[in-house]
Amino acid sequence: MIRRVSATALFPPPAYSHASVVEAGTRLAFLAGAVPLDAEGELVGAGDPVRQAGQVLANLEEQLRAVGAGMEHVVATDVYVVSGDTAVLSAVWEVVEASGLSAGPHSSTLVGVACLGYSGQLVEITATAVVPEGAGA
């Protein structure tokens, strides 16, 4: 259902693939950006991008569950971090690597940005997933 490809002529990617190929006729879920808010809408991990990344991934997992998929079904993500410091971006990426997302590995882009939508928000992740056959959503 999902074929993950890394081009042998390119530098090997750390914990992600260069491309994910999905056969036609498969259901895809395009998830809105997961944000570091709890169920009450409160920011989790103010000032701490690593803690926020953990909350974002937990929220992403809930979004996936709602459509009948899991972290292992994610084929692509965009990870946004409010920072221009590669050490901060790397710390957030380590949290992503430790999640079930790198089981694929999925295709991903890590981007440092100036700001995100919620006050104090430092991390957001968008995702595309293949919904398994027979999933309820």
Side-chain angles (χ1 to χ4, degrees):
M1 179 165 39
I2 303 168
R3 185 169 56 95
R4 300 169 199 281
V5 179
S6 289
T8 57
L10 299 177
F11 183 77
Y16 65 89
S17 61
H18 288 127
S20 298
V21 179
V22 180
E23 295 295 324
T26 300
R27 290 190 309 153
L28 297 176
F30 300 90
L31 283 68
V35 299
L37 302 180
D38 64 17
E40 289 74 42
E42 298 296 321
L43 181 70
V44 173
D48 184 346
V50 169
R51 186 156 173 239
Q52 285 194 17
Q55 182 67 44
V56 166
L57 288 161
N59 291 349
L60 179 62
E61 199 162 12
E62 288 301 320
Q63 289 174 269
L64 289 162
R65 188 174 294 117
V67 299
M71 298 287 249
E72 70 277 13
H73 300 112
V74 171
V75 293
T77 60
D78 292 308
V79 180
Y80 302 97
V81 182
V82 177
S83 182
D85 183 346
T86 56
V88 173
L89 273 68
S90 293
V92 168
W93 184 252
E94 286 176 13
V95 177
V96 172
E97 273 189 312
S99 74
L101 284 175
S102 60
H106 69 295
S107 301
S108 188
T109 300
L110 176 63
V111 183
V113 297
C115 69
L116 290 165
Y118 291 98
S119 180
Q121 180 184 358
L122 302 174
V123 179
E124 184 164 337
I125 300 176
T126 62
T128 303
V130 173
V131 179
E133 280 189 45

PDB file of all heavy atoms in Angstrom, residues 1 4 9 13 31 47 49 56-57 59 72 74-75 85 87 98 102 105 110-111 118-119 127-128 132 136:
ATOM      1  N   MET A   1       0.820  -1.182   0.000  1.00  0.00           N
ATOM      2  CA  MET A   1       0.000   0.000   0.000  1.00  0.00           C
ATOM      3  C   MET A   1       0.872   1.258   0.000  1.00  0.00           C
ATOM      4  O   MET A   1       0.602   2.195  -0.713  1.00  0.00           O
ATOM      5  CB  MET A   1      -0.938  -0.033   1.206  1.00  0.00           C
ATOM      6  CG  MET A   1      -1.803   1.189   1.292  1.00  0.00           C
ATOM      7  SD  MET A   1      -3.231   1.157   2.389  1.00  0.00           S
ATOM      8  CE  MET A   1      -2.711   0.287   3.815  1.00  0.00           C
ATOM      9  N   ARG A   4       8.056   3.365   0.432  1.00  0.00           N
ATOM     10  CA  ARG A   4       8.894   4.493   0.824  1.00  0.00           C
ATOM     11  C   ARG A   4      10.220   4.381   0.076  1.00  0.00           C
ATOM     12  O   ARG A   4      10.810   3.308   0.024  1.00  0.00           O
ATOM     13  CB  ARG A   4       9.080   4.501   2.324  1.00  0.00           C
ATOM     14  CG  ARG A   4       7.732   4.614   3.034  1.00  0.00           C
ATOM     15  CD  ARG A   4       7.850   4.354   4.515  1.00  0.00           C
ATOM     16  NE  ARG A   4       6.614   4.015   5.155  1.00  0.00           N
ATOM     17  CZ  ARG A   4       5.670   4.872   5.523  1.00  0.00           C
ATOM     18  NH1 ARG A   4       5.814   6.146   5.300  1.00  0.00           N
ATOM     19  NH2 ARG A   4       4.580   4.453   6.123  1.00  0.00           N
ATOM     20  N   ALA A   9      21.265   8.019  -5.093  1.00  0.00           N
ATOM     21  CA  ALA A   9      22.231   9.007  -5.583  1.00  0.00           C
ATOM     22  C   ALA A   9      22.301  10.243  -4.690  1.00  0.00           C
ATOM     23  O   ALA A   9      23.149  11.101  -4.888  1.00  0.00           O
ATOM     24  CB  ALA A   9      21.866   9.431  -7.005  1.00  0.00           C
ATOM     25  N   PRO A  13      18.872  10.254   3.951  1.00  0.00           N
ATOM     26  CA  PRO A  13      18.153  11.088   4.917  1.00  0.00           C
ATOM     27  C   PRO A  13      18.109  10.446   6.304  1.00  0.00           C
ATOM     28  O   PRO A  13      17.969   9.231   6.405  1.00  0.00           O
ATOM     29  CB  PRO A  13      16.751  11.195   4.320  1.00  0.00           C
ATOM     30  CG  PRO A  13      16.601   9.969   3.492  1.00  0.00           C
ATOM     31  CD  PRO A  13      17.973   9.626   2.988  1.00  0.00           C
ATOM     32  N   LEU A  31      -4.243  16.072   7.172  1.00  0.00           N
ATOM     33  CA  LEU A  31      -4.512  16.581   8.508  1.00  0.00           C
ATOM     34  C   LEU A  31      -4.082  18.031   8.651  1.00  0.00           C
ATOM     35  O   LEU A  31      -3.000  18.417   8.203  1.00  0.00           O
ATOM     36  CB  LEU A  31      -3.782  15.734   9.557  1.00  0.00           C
ATOM     37  CG  LEU A  31      -4.452  14.384   9.852  1.00  0.00           C
ATOM     38  CD1 LEU A  31      -4.371  13.449   8.675  1.00  0.00           C
ATOM     39  CD2 LEU A  31      -3.851  13.761  11.070  1.00  0.00           C
ATOM     40  N   GLY A  47       7.269  28.322  26.087  1.00  0.00           N
ATOM     41  CA  GLY A  47       8.701  28.581  26.016  1.00  0.00           C
ATOM     42  C   GLY A  47       9.566  27.350  25.799  1.00  0.00           C
ATOM     43  O   GLY A  47      10.784  27.460  25.738  1.00  0.00           O
ATOM     44  N   PRO A  49      10.101  24.331  23.240  1.00  0.00           N
ATOM     45  CA  PRO A  49       9.737  23.690  21.982  1.00  0.00           C
ATOM     46  C   PRO A  49       9.737  22.164  22.039  1.00  0.00           C
ATOM     47  O   PRO A  49       8.944  21.525  21.350  1.00  0.00           O
ATOM     48  CB  PRO A  49      10.771  24.214  20.982  1.00  0.00           C
ATOM     49  CG  PRO A  49      11.890  24.748  21.795  1.00  0.00           C
ATOM     50  CD  PRO A  49      11.314  25.140  23.118  1.00  0.00           C
ATOM     51  N   VAL A  56       2.211  18.284  20.486  1.00  0.00           N
ATOM     52  CA  VAL A  56       1.799  18.306  19.077  1.00  0.00           C
ATOM     53  C   VAL A  56       1.684  16.878  18.544  1.00  0.00           C
ATOM     54  O   VAL A  56       0.702  16.520  17.883  1.00  0.00           O
ATOM     55  CB  VAL A  56       2.788  19.136  18.233  1.00  0.00           C
ATOM     56  CG1 VAL A  56       2.596  18.893  16.744  1.00  0.00           C
ATOM     57  CG2 VAL A  56       2.646  20.619  18.556  1.00  0.00           C
ATOM     58  N   LEU A  57       2.658  16.035  18.848  1.00  0.00           N
ATOM     59  CA  LEU A  57       2.621  14.648  18.382  1.00  0.00           C
ATOM     60  C   LEU A  57       1.477  13.869  19.024  1.00  0.00           C
ATOM     61  O   LEU A  57       0.823  13.059  18.362  1.00  0.00           O
ATOM     62  CB  LEU A  57       3.966  13.975  18.628  1.00  0.00           C
ATOM     63  CG  LEU A  57       5.060  14.472  17.681  1.00  0.00           C
ATOM     64  CD1 LEU A  57       6.434  14.157  18.226  1.00  0.00           C
ATOM     65  CD2 LEU A  57       4.871  13.887  16.288  1.00  0.00           C
ATOM     66  N   ASN A  59      -1.353  15.191  19.941  1.00  0.00           N
ATOM     67  CA  ASN A  59      -2.547  15.689  19.261  1.00  0.00           C
ATOM     68  C   ASN A  59      -2.648  15.131  17.842  1.00  0.00           C
ATOM     69  O   ASN A  59      -3.742  14.788  17.385  1.00  0.00           O
ATOM     70  CB  ASN A  59      -2.557  17.212  19.240  1.00  0.00           C
ATOM     71  CG  ASN A  59      -2.772  17.799  20.625  1.00  0.00           C
ATOM     72  OD1 ASN A  59      -3.104  17.108  21.576  1.00  0.00           O
ATOM     73  ND2 ASN A  59      -2.553  19.093  20.750  1.00  0.00           N
ATOM     74  N   GLU A  72       2.030   5.135  12.066  1.00  0.00           N
ATOM     75  CA  GLU A  72       2.710   4.327  11.048  1.00  0.00           C
ATOM     76  C   GLU A  72       2.111   4.520   9.658  1.00  0.00           C
ATOM     77  O   GLU A  72       2.714   4.117   8.659  1.00  0.00           O
ATOM     78  CB  GLU A  72       2.681   2.845  11.437  1.00  0.00           C
ATOM     79  CG  GLU A  72       1.307   2.186  11.359  1.00  0.00           C
ATOM     80  CD  GLU A  72       0.419   2.400  12.583  1.00  0.00           C
ATOM     81  OE1 GLU A  72       0.738   3.270  13.433  1.00  0.00           O
ATOM     82  OE2 GLU A  72      -0.588   1.689  12.683  1.00  0.00           O
ATOM     83  N   VAL A  74       1.378   7.539   8.388  1.00  0.00           N
ATOM     84  CA  VAL A  74       1.747   8.862   7.892  1.00  0.00           C
ATOM     85  C   VAL A  74       2.791   8.714   6.789  1.00  0.00           C
ATOM     86  O   VAL A  74       3.779   8.012   6.956  1.00  0.00           O
ATOM     87  CB  VAL A  74       2.279   9.759   9.034  1.00  0.00           C
ATOM     88  CG1 VAL A  74       2.867  11.056   8.490  1.00  0.00           C
ATOM     89  CG2 VAL A  74       1.163  10.045  10.033  1.00  0.00           C
ATOM     90  N   VAL A  75       2.532   9.386   5.662  1.00  0.00           N
ATOM     91  CA  VAL A  75       3.481   9.321   4.547  1.00  0.00           C
ATOM     92  C   VAL A  75       4.252  10.620   4.380  1.00  0.00           C
ATOM     93  O   VAL A  75       5.319  10.630   3.763  1.00  0.00           O
ATOM     94  CB  VAL A  75       2.795   8.922   3.218  1.00  0.00           C
ATOM     95  CG1 VAL A  75       2.291   7.497   3.298  1.00  0.00           C
ATOM     96  CG2 VAL A  75       1.682   9.874   2.842  1.00  0.00           C
ATOM     97  N   ASP A  85      17.473  28.742  14.996  1.00  0.00           N
ATOM     98  CA  ASP A  85      18.604  28.049  15.603  1.00  0.00           C
ATOM     99  C   ASP A  85      18.525  26.560  15.253  1.00  0.00           C
ATOM    100  O   ASP A  85      17.579  25.875  15.639  1.00  0.00           O
ATOM    101  CB  ASP A  85      18.558  28.253  17.120  1.00  0.00           C
ATOM    102  CG  ASP A  85      19.714  27.638  17.862  1.00  0.00           C
ATOM    103  OD1 ASP A  85      20.451  26.804  17.283  1.00  0.00           O
ATOM    104  OD2 ASP A  85      19.881  27.976  19.055  1.00  0.00           O
ATOM    105  N   ALA A  87      20.055  24.115  16.441  1.00  0.00           N
ATOM    106  CA  ALA A  87      20.040  23.252  17.633  1.00  0.00           C
ATOM    107  C   ALA A  87      18.605  23.059  18.129  1.00  0.00           C
ATOM    108  O   ALA A  87      18.222  21.963  18.542  1.00  0.00           O
ATOM    109  CB  ALA A  87      20.915  23.844  18.739  1.00  0.00           C
ATOM    110  N   ALA A  98      11.659  10.076  17.706  1.00  0.00           N
ATOM    111  CA  ALA A  98      11.329   9.141  18.783  1.00  0.00           C
ATOM    112  C   ALA A  98       9.865   8.703  18.738  1.00  0.00           C
ATOM    113  O   ALA A  98       9.497   7.716  19.358  1.00  0.00           O
ATOM    114  CB  ALA A  98      11.638   9.770  20.143  1.00  0.00           C
ATOM    115  N   SER A 102       8.654   7.956  12.576  1.00  0.00           N
ATOM    116  CA  SER A 102       9.850   7.529  11.846  1.00  0.00           C
ATOM    117  C   SER A 102       9.851   6.031  11.582  1.00  0.00           C
ATOM    118  O   SER A 102      10.780   5.511  10.988  1.00  0.00           O
ATOM    119  CB  SER A 102      11.119   7.951  12.589  1.00  0.00           C
ATOM    120  OG  SER A 102      11.157   7.372  13.863  1.00  0.00           O
ATOM    121  N   PRO A 105      10.200   4.990   7.164  1.00  0.00           N
ATOM    122  CA  PRO A 105      10.103   6.372   7.624  1.00  0.00           C
ATOM    123  C   PRO A 105       9.280   7.204   6.646  1.00  0.00           C
ATOM    124  O   PRO A 105       9.202   6.877   5.463  1.00  0.00           O
ATOM    125  CB  PRO A 105      11.549   6.851   7.650  1.00  0.00           C
ATOM    126  CG  PRO A 105      12.213   6.045   6.576  1.00  0.00           C
ATOM    127  CD  PRO A 105      11.505   4.710   6.562  1.00  0.00           C
ATOM    128  N   LEU A 110      11.481  19.938   7.663  1.00  0.00           N
ATOM    129  CA  LEU A 110      11.633  20.653   8.931  1.00  0.00           C
ATOM    130  C   LEU A 110      11.950  22.102   8.602  1.00  0.00           C
ATOM    131  O   LEU A 110      12.921  22.377   7.893  1.00  0.00           O
ATOM    132  CB  LEU A 110      12.759  20.020   9.752  1.00  0.00           C
ATOM    133  CG  LEU A 110      13.146  20.669  11.074  1.00  0.00           C
ATOM    134  CD1 LEU A 110      11.992  20.622  12.066  1.00  0.00           C
ATOM    135  CD2 LEU A 110      14.375  19.967  11.651  1.00  0.00           C
ATOM    136  N   VAL A 111      11.123  23.034   9.114  1.00  0.00           N
ATOM    137  CA  VAL A 111      11.249  24.436   8.725  1.00  0.00           C
ATOM    138  C   VAL A 111      11.273  25.333   9.957  1.00  0.00           C
ATOM    139  O   VAL A 111      10.408  25.216  10.831  1.00  0.00           O
ATOM    140  CB  VAL A 111      10.054  24.864   7.837  1.00  0.00           C
ATOM    141  CG1 VAL A 111      10.209  26.292   7.370  1.00  0.00           C
ATOM    142  CG2 VAL A 111       9.896  23.932   6.657  1.00  0.00           C
ATOM    143  N   TYR A 118      -0.971  30.545  17.255  1.00  0.00           N
ATOM    144  CA  TYR A 118      -1.391  30.794  18.635  1.00  0.00           C
ATOM    145  C   TYR A 118      -0.297  31.527  19.397  1.00  0.00           C
ATOM    146  O   TYR A 118       0.898  31.263  19.196  1.00  0.00           O
ATOM    147  CB  TYR A 118      -1.714  29.482  19.359  1.00  0.00           C
ATOM    148  CG  TYR A 118      -2.963  28.812  18.845  1.00  0.00           C
ATOM    149  CD1 TYR A 118      -2.876  27.778  17.919  1.00  0.00           C
ATOM    150  CD2 TYR A 118      -4.221  29.221  19.266  1.00  0.00           C
ATOM    151  CE1 TYR A 118      -4.015  27.160  17.425  1.00  0.00           C
ATOM    152  CE2 TYR A 118      -5.366  28.612  18.781  1.00  0.00           C
ATOM    153  CZ  TYR A 118      -5.255  27.585  17.859  1.00  0.00           C
ATOM    154  OH  TYR A 118      -6.396  26.988  17.385  1.00  0.00           O
ATOM    155  N   SER A 119      -0.691  32.389  20.296  1.00  0.00           N
ATOM    156  CA  SER A 119       0.264  33.106  21.125  1.00  0.00           C
ATOM    157  C   SER A 119       1.108  32.108  21.915  1.00  0.00           C
ATOM    158  O   SER A 119       0.561  31.224  22.586  1.00  0.00           O
ATOM    159  CB  SER A 119      -0.483  34.038  22.081  1.00  0.00           C
ATOM    160  OG  SER A 119       0.434  34.734  22.885  1.00  0.00           O
ATOM    161  N   ALA A 127       0.239  16.790   8.410  1.00  0.00           N
ATOM    162  CA  ALA A 127       0.532  15.428   7.983  1.00  0.00           C
ATOM    163  C   ALA A 127      -0.449  14.961   6.914  1.00  0.00           C
ATOM    164  O   ALA A 127      -1.583  15.417   6.848  1.00  0.00           O
ATOM    165  CB  ALA A 127       0.468  14.476   9.183  1.00  0.00           C
ATOM    166  N   THR A 128       0.036  14.024   6.109  1.00  0.00           N
ATOM    167  CA  THR A 128      -0.788  13.270   5.168  1.00  0.00           C
ATOM    168  C   THR A 128      -0.610  11.815   5.524  1.00  0.00           C
ATOM    169  O   THR A 128       0.515  11.348   5.726  1.00  0.00           O
ATOM    170  CB  THR A 128      -0.344  13.520   3.715  1.00  0.00           C
ATOM    171  OG1 THR A 128      -0.409  14.914   3.440  1.00  0.00           O
ATOM    172  CG2 THR A 128      -1.220  12.764   2.735  1.00  0.00           C
ATOM    173  N   PRO A 132      -6.013   3.025   6.381  1.00  0.00           N
ATOM    174  CA  PRO A 132      -6.055   1.604   6.068  1.00  0.00           C
ATOM    175  C   PRO A 132      -7.445   1.150   5.596  1.00  0.00           C
ATOM    176  O   PRO A 132      -8.459   1.705   6.036  1.00  0.00           O
ATOM    177  CB  PRO A 132      -5.683   0.906   7.373  1.00  0.00           C
ATOM    178  CG  PRO A 132      -5.173   1.962   8.272  1.00  0.00           C
ATOM    179  CD  PRO A 132      -5.683   3.274   7.773  1.00  0.00           C
ATOM    180  N   GLY A 136     -12.838   2.907  10.005  1.00  0.00           N
ATOM    181  CA  GLY A 136     -14.169   3.458  10.146  1.00  0.00           C
ATOM    182  C   GLY A 136     -14.370   4.863   9.632  1.00  0.00           C
ATOM    183  O   GLY A 136     -15.488   5.248   9.342  1.00  0.00           O
TER     184      GLY A 136
END
